Amino acid sequence: MMLRELLERQSLIVAGLMSGTSLDGIDVAIVRIDGCGFEASVKLLHFESFGYDAQLRERLKQLCSLDQSNVALLCGMNFAIAERFADAVFKTVAAAGMNMEDVDLISTHGQTVWHIPVADEADAFLPKSTLQIGDLSVLAKRTGRPVVGDFRTADMAVGGQGAPLAPYGDLILFRDAVKGRILQNIGGIGNCTAIPGGLSAADAGRLIAFDTGPGNMVIDQVVYELSGGKLTYDANGAWAATGQVHEELLRAMLAHPYFEQLPPKTTGRELFGKAYAAAWLAEAARHGLPPEDIVATATAFTAHSIAGSYRHYVFPHCGIAEVIVSGGGAHNQELMRMLRELLPEQTVSTSDDFGFSSDAKEAILFALLGNDWIHGVPNNLPSATGAERPTLMGKLAMP
């Protein structure tokens, strides 16, 4: 498809790709999008998820660690991950009973390996910056389709933190004429979007959005270590449900300075990754906790950091009737139980209850971002990222 034809179309079929900080795999959502901006309408045509194998996941963890990463690994993985993105798109298109020619556009988040939301004042060579790998040209050439990606850098270039980006799509898909809602994604990192009831697109500055802290990241790493590498996550929260939360250790975890920072704010593996989990496990061992109590406390850490963020930064500013959870954490029944217990005045459900798969939601959101790039519509939310102004995020690679 020539670029001119693509720019003139009002209805596009877009393959949205998401690979998050949990490093668990690649999500692909094929959607039909009619229109653009806040008036866009979306229909999910097909969704597939492809888990990273154990070796790839551990290499990515290396890449996200200051003491284990190297430039050769970074260079190679930029292409290697793009090849896996392409394979995931081919498989999803085939599973949908479609041909690649049916897909107008691919829109990809890329795989985040490092994120510096605040400049290091002591080092002029560490400005506010971010890096997502999965080369756009490799993906475009392999699939034969135009690719839009690398969204975060444009927001940072106009003073934002490059995240969270999900609130833009949350506002399009979930705003309600009456009810105040929080959209809580629980991937590797948790992020929330608080949308006051009756919010219009013109009043989007009233939206509140930020990263709440660890989502599945600490839980997953703890489970991996305690199981000797046999498990990569706590399926349905079953292990946590057998343990008791250690309140003293939980209070110490919640004293992390990140939770005192005012929004907008973002975080990632640089704060709550493998090194953090190792130090936390050592502290749990000092307390003599059995494995089930460790997993239960790590799960409570995520739940309390989410609910505490709401109490400090959301509830004082807008009434919230519903909390709608998506991402892998929506499947953790013990985590969901804890959230319901901590939020008795809100209804806590999942995005599945609103017609959007909790697994597919973020991939759908990135399809929306790519669609708006094609239409030239600014697709960041300064109220969420701290940017100085709305801007058009994304870069294009042609096949």
Side-chain angles (χ1 to χ4, degrees):
M1 177 184 295
M2 296 297 290
L3 181 58
R4 184 180 300 278
E5 180 187 350
L6 187 65
L7 296 174
E8 291 174 349
R9 297 188 57 179
Q10 293 302 306
S11 179
L12 296 176
I13 292 179
V14 184
L17 275 70
M18 180 64 196
S19 47
T21 50
S22 58
L23 305 180
D24 52 1
I26 305 163
D27 296 331
V28 184
I30 300 178
V31 297
R32 175 179 288 108
I33 304 177
D34 295 304
C36 59
F38 293 118
E39 302 309 316
S41 63
V42 180
K43 181 179 181 181
L44 177 64
L45 303 180
H46 196 78
F47 172 75
E48 294 284 342
S49 188
F50 304 89
Y52 287 147
D53 60 69
Q55 182 181 26
L56 176 57
R57 186 180 298 111
E58 289 308 303
R59 293 301 292 272
L60 284 169
K61 287 181 183 178
Q62 281 185 309
L63 201 56
C64 299
S65 172
L66 285 175
D67 60 346
Q68 295 182 325
S69 185
N70 63 71
V71 292
L73 181 60
L74 178 62
C75 184
M77 287 293 278
N78 185 39
F79 274 51
I81 286 292
E83 297 283 3
R84 284 164 174 78
F85 287 172
D87 184 59
V89 173
F90 277 119
K91 288 179 177 176
T92 304
V93 168
M98 302 168 67
N99 298 313
M100 283 304 302
E101 293 74 18
D102 298 324
V103 176
D104 299 310
L105 178 72
I106 296 170
S107 180
T108 174
H109 170 267
Q111 181 64 65
T112 299
V113 295
W114 204 250
H115 188 68
I116 307 176
V118 179
D120 185 341
E121 295 182 1
D123 192 335
F125 296 104
L126 290 175
K128 182 187 295 188
S129 50
T130 189
L131 182 62
Q132 285 73 43
I133 61 172
D135 187 79
L136 305 183
S137 290
V138 171
L139 181 54
K141 301 303 179 185
R142 294 293 179 269
T143 59
R145 313 315 295 158
V147 175
V148 174
D150 199 17
F151 294 99
R152 298 186 184 276
T153 52
D155 182 79
M156 281 194 157
V158 293
Q161 293 198 1
L165 300 186
Y168 181 80
D170 287 338
L171 184 56
I172 294 171
L173 298 177
F174 291 98
R175 67 186 187 271
D176 187 82
V178 177
K179 296 178 181 178
R181 289 173 168 171
I182 292 177
L183 282 301
Q184 177 70 48
N185 183 67
I186 307 178
I189 291 294
N191 57 73
C192 73
T193 305
I195 308 173
L199 188 73
S200 68
D203 203 20
R206 290 176 50 217
L207 177 147
I208 302 169
F210 55 94
D211 284 355
T212 53
N216 303 313
M217 186 177 290
V218 176
I219 303 170
D220 289 352
Q221 188 63 33
V222 163
V223 167
Y224 179 82
E225 297 294 342
L226 291 177
S227 69
K230 294 179 181 178
L231 301 175
T232 58
Y233 68 102
D234 183 16
N236 298 319
W239 201 354
T242 66
Q244 297 293 318
V245 175
H246 192 279
E247 297 295 339
E248 180 185 344
L249 186 54
L250 175 60
R251 285 194 298 272
M253 297 166 77
L254 292 169
H256 192 288
Y258 178 76
F259 303 117
E260 298 299 320
Q261 294 177 25
L262 296 175
K265 58 179 181 176
T266 57
T267 189
R269 284 192 173 270
E270 55 282 349
L271 275 191
F272 295 109
K274 192 173 183 179
Y276 177 88
W280 185 79
L281 274 171
E283 185 66 12
R286 188 180 70 80
H287 284 278
L289 300 190
E292 62 271 20
D293 288 3
I294 295 175
V295 179
T297 305
T299 304
F301 180 34
T302 292
H304 280 261
S305 63
I306 290 170
S309 294
Y310 297 169
R311 286 194 298 271
H312 286 102
Y313 307 120
V314 177
F315 294 160
H317 304 289
C318 65
I320 296 296
E322 298 175 337
V323 175
I324 304 169
V325 181
S326 61
H331 300 294
N332 186 321
Q333 296 305 309
E334 181 65 4
L335 176 56
M336 293 293 288
R337 184 196 67 77
M338 290 179 176
L339 284 173
R340 292 186 176 105
E341 186 175 280
L342 291 167
L343 300 167
E345 297 182 7
Q346 285 75 37
T347 300
V348 180
S349 58
T350 71
S351 60
D352 298 81
D353 298 319
F354 294 82
F356 291 97
S357 161
S358 57
D359 294 322
K361 195 194 82 169
E362 283 210 305
I364 293 171
L365 298 181
F366 278 91
L368 282 166
L369 292 179
N371 178 72
D372 279 357
W373 187 96
I374 290 295
H375 291 288
V377 176
N379 50 6
N380 70 329
L381 279 179
S383 58
T385 66
E388 298 161 2
R389 57 183 172 84
T391 195
L392 185 62
M393 301 186 299
K395 299 171 184 173
L396 176 70
M398 293 298 288

